[in-house]
Amino acid sequence: MSDTQTSSREEMLTLIRQLNDYSYAYHVKDEPLVPDAEYDRCYRALQAIEAQHPEWVQADSPTQRVGEKPDNGFASVEHTVPMLSLDNAFDNDSMVDFDERVQKLSQAAVLTYCCEPKLDGLAISLRYEDGLLVRGVTRGDGLVGEDITSNIKTIYSVPMRLRTETPPPVLEVRGEIYMPKEGFEKLNQQAAEKGEKTFVNPRNAAAGSLRQLDPKITASRPLVLCAYSIGYVEGWQQPDSHYEGLLQLSEWGFKINQLMQRVEGIQGCLDYYDKVAAERDGLSYDIDGIVYKVDSIAQQKQLGFVARAPRWAIARKFPAQEEVTQILGVDFQVGRTGAITPVARLQPTFVGGVTVSNATLHNQDEIERLGVKVKDWVMIRRAGDVIPQVVQVLTERRPEDATEVVFPVQCPVCESDIERVEGEAVQRCTGGLVCGAQLKERLKHFVSRKAMDIDGLGDKLIEQLVDAKLLNTPVDIYRLKEKPARLLAMERMGDKSVEKLLNAIEASKQTLFNRFVYALGIREVGEATARTVTQYFGTLDALMNATQEELIEVEDVGPIVAQHIRLFFEQEDNVATVHGLLEQGVHWQMAESSEDSGERPLEGKTYVVTGTLSRYSRDEVKDHLIKLGAKVSGSVSGKTDCLVAGEKAGSKLTKAQSLEVPVMDEEALHEMLTGFGVV
Ligand code: I6G
């Protein structure tokens, strides 16, 4: 080999090492080392060398992650050691029984357990020989699985080579392949936009992605591997505990669950369950329970197995997030902007920890996509605080008297025509504020916490006041003080509550420009857009008179949002409402007004606020920063000047760190706000 050849081979090996380090930091540690552009640059450099010298290509090169389709589908492979199943527990009593059983059998006073969330994915086994990944196999029936190596390699959190100079000659690692919630939502959204079939849940999406014969398709799916045990090893002394085994896997380059923890005895197990159950909805991945394992390997050996499950482990299941129930009927609800939403009335069923009687069917396209009929048996899903969804129709259980869902042509509340704008999935009532339903929803939005924040004017009271014709526009809210007797006549309204309500209405008159614009309920203008447009235009007149072209100039405002803002201010009754509100005394402190100290020390700076803060709400922080002249953006980019990061800041913090954006914690923020005298 010539000197130049030697040096480009060296360069290639360095690039492989570098890229694998970057990949490990990004996909396993969630701590990116370099921006994506730098990764791409190195990747292209590696590709160029490999194209010139195909004979040099290494098995652990990142270019080898996406290969060709296997010639004859997936081959069957017998597991070296069977992949067992786990016994399940559904309540605390069964957990206590489990603990007593293992205590008795192992003759231990108190047992140490290693616990971790049970990811809702697919179990697989990975075989490494001399540190190099040679095979990935599905669980199958536990004895024989399918060889899906070509698909497994496309998953970046699967190490192609163990991160050690002294790997065991043979190592088999067991883990779960899953799809994070965010990736699942995006994948389904893209599929729905293309009119393709969507997946019922992240687990099915992960399973479908691994079953693809073409690894290029698997490569395009956001899959992650989390290792949960050493299944088999040769020529290496296993640690004494399961916990240490997991730490070793982490050192070798595997992602292990961050919530994995050792606890003492049954109380430790029960506390751990409560802790993780409380965090469940906020996790970035679906979990369906907790796995508890006796931590000592010696005790595990002593306890052994029963049938096909270890005696030393148990899965405590969470309440199911999916359930089967029957659709009793479909109602059509009218929203704030007139959008008609079909809602399935269900045979009440317990799912995701609550009894659910309704599930959204979104729109007509979704009804057609699902092929759902009244009286169908359906699978519904309720994960976290998300509105329950119908995810699948069990057509094989369709009763003979099932009937089509007929979308109305007239608004079910005001009987105005329903129209569907071309290119939109939503159908809308054309009644505007003539429609009692739209009026009620607009008023509820107007008084909501992030808008005019009127305490005491709840949904029920608004409905009563609209029905009593006391509220016809938001301006009427400020006229209620003229009619205390009518207020007293409303349900559950006494002297005290009327007084409190009128005080809250009065107090709401002093607001912020962005809150006021948000409260108007302009279509597509959420909180963030209200902030950016008010910051940009500074005054109400400027905003009301802005042309489409001027509006598009604003960061994050596209043609559709611009058009909605224009249309809103072109409608006479909207302009009359705005003027009416100002006449009633609604006002805000203008940035440039004489009331202001004039100091805008953060002028020209862009801030992002993320995570949980203890002293302030995120909205309060944003309002303070805006007052000081800063722009507050929703996402971190190269243009961000500072990220305010509270607890559990997550991906925005990671991104800020990778872009070297300065990060401020809550203490520093408080000091700055106090220093500027805004708190
Ligand atoms: O299916 C499983 C998921 C997670 C497991 C498992 C696990 O540990 C966190 N552990 C064992 C021992 C088995 N299945 C058999």
Side-chain angles (χ1 to χ4, degrees):
M1 222 186 277
S2 70
D3 281 357
T4 28
Q5 280 202 329
T6 313
S7 80
S8 50
R9 194 166 192 282
E10 281 304 309
E11 193 191 337
M12 178 192 77
L13 295 175
T14 308
L15 283 167
I16 292 176
R17 208 171 324 113
Q18 246 175 5
L19 283 162
N20 283 340
D21 283 351
Y22 295 161
S23 193
Y24 168 72
Y26 185 90
H27 293 281
V28 177
K29 290 280 164 204
D30 288 331
E31 288 165 2
L33 289 177
V34 289
D36 292 356
E38 173 62 8
Y39 182 93
D40 293 343
R41 195 191 62 71
C42 294
Y43 191 90
R44 281 195 303 272
L46 173 63
Q47 270 180 321
I49 303 178
E50 288 181 344
Q52 279 204 325
H53 295 283
E55 71 283 8
W56 290 352
V57 173
Q58 303 290 301
D60 64 340
S61 165
T63 61
Q64 300 308 294
R65 283 202 179 264
V66 186
E68 297 303 312
K69 287 183 194 176
D71 288 339
N72 300 310
F74 303 129
S76 294
V77 179
E78 196 174 327
H79 291 295
T80 321
V81 173
M83 287 186 79
L84 306 168
S85 47
L86 289 171
D87 276 343
N88 290 325
F90 294 95
D91 52 31
N92 285 356
D93 289 349
S94 320
M95 281 302 297
V96 172
D97 291 348
F98 164 75
D99 177 58
E100 280 176 4
R101 208 162 50 236
V102 290
Q103 240 182 342
K104 207 187 248 168
L105 287 170
S106 60
Q107 293 167 336
V110 179
L111 284 150
T112 301
Y113 293 100
C114 185
C115 9
E116 64 179 282
K118 187 169 186 308
L119 299 176
D120 206 359
L122 284 105
I124 55 140
S125 181
L126 300 172
R127 183 176 173 94
Y128 290 81
E129 289 176 4
D130 294 324
L132 206 62
L133 174 67
V134 293
R135 202 185 291 141
V137 184
T138 61
R139 180 177 181 279
D141 64 3
L143 300 174
V144 177
E146 282 181 321
D147 183 338
I148 53 162
T149 315
S150 47
N151 286 345
I152 287 293
K153 278 188 178 171
T154 68
I155 303 170
Y156 276 82
S157 44
V158 172
M160 298 276 268
R161 181 187 288 283
L162 301 181
R163 297 175 66 80
T164 170
E165 295 297 313
T166 52
V170 177
L171 172 74
E172 291 193 6
V173 177
R174 304 266 154 99
E176 200 88 1
I177 303 275
Y178 65 96
M179 190 177 284
K181 291 176 191 170
E182 197 184 324
F184 165 74
E185 301 293 345
K186 266 197 206 144
L187 184 67
N188 261 2
Q189 198 183 331
Q190 286 162 359
E193 277 164 13
K194 288 192 228 154
E196 291 171 2
K197 211 170 154 277
T198 52
F199 290 104
V200 167
N201 54 34
R203 184 179 191 283
N204 286 16
S209 304
L210 281 181
R211 231 177 278 123
Q212 294 293 330
L213 272 177
D214 184 355
K216 289 191 186 71
I217 301 182
T218 314
S220 70
R221 305 284 171 82
L223 298 172
V224 179
L225 165 79
C226 180
Y228 65 68
S229 72
I230 297 174
Y232 175 73
V233 65
E234 275 176 25
W236 181 76
Q237 180 62 43
Q238 278 217 51
D240 293 339
S241 69
H242 176 71
Y243 180 81
E244 288 164 297
L246 285 175
L247 295 186
Q248 179 63 72
L249 289 180
S250 170
E251 263 179 46
W252 281 337
F254 293 92
K255 196 181 193 70
I256 58 169
N257 198 292
Q258 291 302 299
L259 300 177
M260 184 267 290
Q261 195 181 316
R262 276 201 279 214
V263 301
E264 294 298 311
I266 182 66
Q267 196 52 50
C269 292
L270 300 181
D271 292 346
Y272 183 83
Y273 176 89
D274 290 342
K275 183 184 91 153
V276 177
E279 285 180 41
R280 182 184 186 190
D281 294 343
L283 295 177
S284 60
Y285 45 83
D286 268 358
I287 60 175
D288 60 358
I290 304 287
V291 179
Y292 299 92
K293 291 175 183 165
V294 170
D295 192 44
S296 149
I297 301 292
Q299 281 171 338
Q300 283 188 5
K301 285 191 177 138
Q302 192 188 354
L303 286 158
F305 303 87
V306 76
R308 303 229 335 240
R311 271 204 198 90
W312 41 265
I314 197 157
R316 165 79 200 274
K317 294 305 212 72
F318 287 132
Q321 290 184 320
E322 277 158 10
E323 228 8 292
V324 170
T325 187
Q326 195 176 18
I327 296 194
L328 304 176
V330 175
D331 290 338
F332 294 87
Q333 286 179 356
V334 189
R336 170 164 64 87
T337 58
I340 311 281
T341 307
V343 176
R345 269 189 302 106
L346 307 169
Q347 181 66 46
T349 184
F350 192 73
V351 58
V354 296
T355 300
V356 166
S357 315
N358 298 303
T360 180
L361 288 168
H362 298 288
N363 52 48
Q364 191 163 16
D365 289 353
E366 178 70 355
I367 292 175
E368 281 163 19
R369 195 186 64 76
L370 286 166
V372 65
K373 294 189 177 189
V374 176
K375 298 218 177 140
D376 262 340
W377 288 90
V378 290
M379 165 125 70
I380 60 160
R381 179 172 164 85
R382 182 190 178 272
D385 289 336
V386 180
I387 309 168
Q389 321 272 322
V390 172
V391 287
Q392 200 174 29
V393 177
L394 309 181
T395 34
E396 67 286 359
R397 284 182 70 179
R398 175 167 286 162
E400 283 195 353
D401 58 348
T403 53
E404 296 289 336
V405 179
V406 183
F407 219 91
V409 287
Q410 285 179 324
C411 172
V413 176
C414 72
E415 296 185 356
S416 301
D417 286 347
I418 288 177
E419 66 169 14
R420 179 168 180 173
V421 177
E422 234 190 79
E424 277 192 24
V426 190
Q427 308 204 34
R428 286 177 204 281
C429 157
T430 52
L433 292 187
V434 168
C435 175
Q438 286 190 55
L439 175 60
K440 284 174 185 171
E441 294 309 312
R442 260 178 84 169
L443 290 167
K444 286 176 196 170
H445 172 79
F446 184 82
V447 305
S448 63
R449 202 174 53 78
K450 291 179 177 175
M452 298 303 280
D453 192 18
I454 305 181
D455 225 18
L457 197 43
D459 291 1
K460 286 268 151 13
L461 185 54
I462 287 186
E463 281 167 22
Q464 287 182 62
L465 292 168
V466 171
D467 292 341
K469 306 262 182 281
L470 281 171
L471 293 184
N472 293 305
T473 91
V475 185
D476 292 335
I477 294 173
Y478 296 95
R479 297 191 182 116
L480 285 174
K481 62 175 183 289
E482 295 156 20
K483 300 161 189 151
R486 302 287 306 270
L487 279 177
L488 269 172
M490 298 293 136
E491 275 171 39
R492 282 193 294 268
M493 291 299 279
D495 286 334
K496 273 258 157 56
S497 39
V498 168
E499 189 190 332
K500 261 176 92 175
L501 172 62
L502 292 177
N503 285 341
I505 292 174
E506 202 54 31
S508 76
K509 286 182 180 173
Q510 181 176 343
T511 184
L512 292 168
F513 186 19
N514 56 302
R515 280 175 170 268
F516 178 76
V517 170
Y518 173 64
L520 294 177
I522 305 170
R523 263 176 66 191
E524 303 291 335
V525 177
E527 243 198 301
T529 310
R531 271 178 216 285
T532 38
V533 294
T534 50
Q535 265 175 343
Y536 188 91
F537 290 103
T539 68
L540 182 59
D541 275 349
L543 174 63
M544 287 176 78
N545 295 320
T547 61
Q548 172 90 4
E549 290 70 35
E550 285 167 336
L551 284 161
I552 292 173
E553 287 293 301
V554 185
E555 209 183 323
D556 295 336
V557 173
I560 294 179
V561 178
Q563 198 185 10
H564 285 309
I565 298 177
R566 273 286 3 106
L567 283 175
F568 184 89
F569 290 118
E570 270 166 18
Q571 278 190 20
E572 269 174 35
D573 49 352
N574 289 335
V575 175
T577 300
V578 169
H579 288 148
L581 289 167
L582 300 183
E583 276 158 27
Q584 287 295 328
V586 172
H587 67 286
W588 52 90
Q589 199 171 313
M590 296 304 305
E592 308 86 332
S593 82
S594 53
E595 285 175 74
D596 201 330
S597 66
E599 271 186 53
R600 291 167 59 78
L602 302 184
E603 182 85 61
K605 302 264 182 257
T606 302
Y607 276 65
V608 176
V609 185
T610 189
T612 315
L613 302 158
S614 58
R615 213 186 291 247
Y616 312 98
S617 71
R618 283 222 290 269
D619 289 334
E620 280 172 325
V621 174
K622 289 179 193 173
D623 288 343
H624 288 318
L625 293 171
I626 288 171
K627 256 195 207 154
L628 291 168
K631 271 190 172 184
V632 181
S633 166
S635 55
V636 175
S637 72
K639 291 187 193 151
T640 312
D641 292 292
C642 180
L643 175 77
V644 175
E647 291 292 308
K648 297 198 192 129
S651 61
K652 285 187 188 158
L653 177 58
T654 317
K655 187 152 184 205
Q657 286 163 338
S658 80
L659 296 173
E660 296 182 8
V661 167
V663 177
M664 183 183 267
D665 65 10
E666 184 165 359
E667 261 328 289
L669 169 79
H670 181 62
E671 235 172 73
M672 179 179 86
L673 295 180
T674 335
F676 287 138
V678 287
V679 292

